[in-house]
Amino acid sequence: MGDSWPSVRASDLIRVIERHCGPPIRQRGSHRRYKGKDDEFTFAYHDGVEITGNMVRRVLVNDVGLTPQNARREV
């Protein structure tokens, strides 16, 4: 499957984050705080922004706590 991850819009990635982490704990503008696997994390992108594949992987694997295989299925 290679090492390349697809880029996605922030609004699509927010849907995936909220499916696994629930709604934001707090929000101020485009800065949303979520409860992740180990600690809280901030997701700070406007909804229409295109997010690179490397950032998608980092958010889903490191912050949300998905395995790389499960994260790939989500995007």
Side-chain angles (χ1 to χ4, degrees):
M1 202 181 248
D3 215 22
S4 147
W5 286 68
S7 60
V8 297
R9 283 188 339 186
S11 59
D12 296 332
L13 189 53
I14 289 169
R15 274 191 225 103
V16 174
I17 292 169
E18 291 185 359
R19 190 176 313 131
H20 294 281
C21 297
I25 296 168
R26 62 185 168 273
Q27 178 175 348
R28 185 170 182 114
S30 63
H31 288 72
R32 297 170 176 97
R33 294 284 296 169
Y34 293 97
K35 176 71 175 136
K37 70 173 182 175
D38 296 326
D39 201 4
E40 292 181 4
F41 67 95
T42 300
F43 185 79
Y45 290 94
H46 292 281
D47 291 348
V49 172
E50 191 77 14
I51 300 176
T52 64
N54 286 335
M55 184 57 73
V56 170
R57 180 195 51 76
R58 188 190 69 74
V59 168
L60 293 180
V61 175
N62 296 345
D63 295 333
V64 174
L66 298 176
T67 64
Q69 296 80 19
N70 289 338
R72 277 192 188 274
R73 284 188 217 120
E74 293 286 342
V75 291

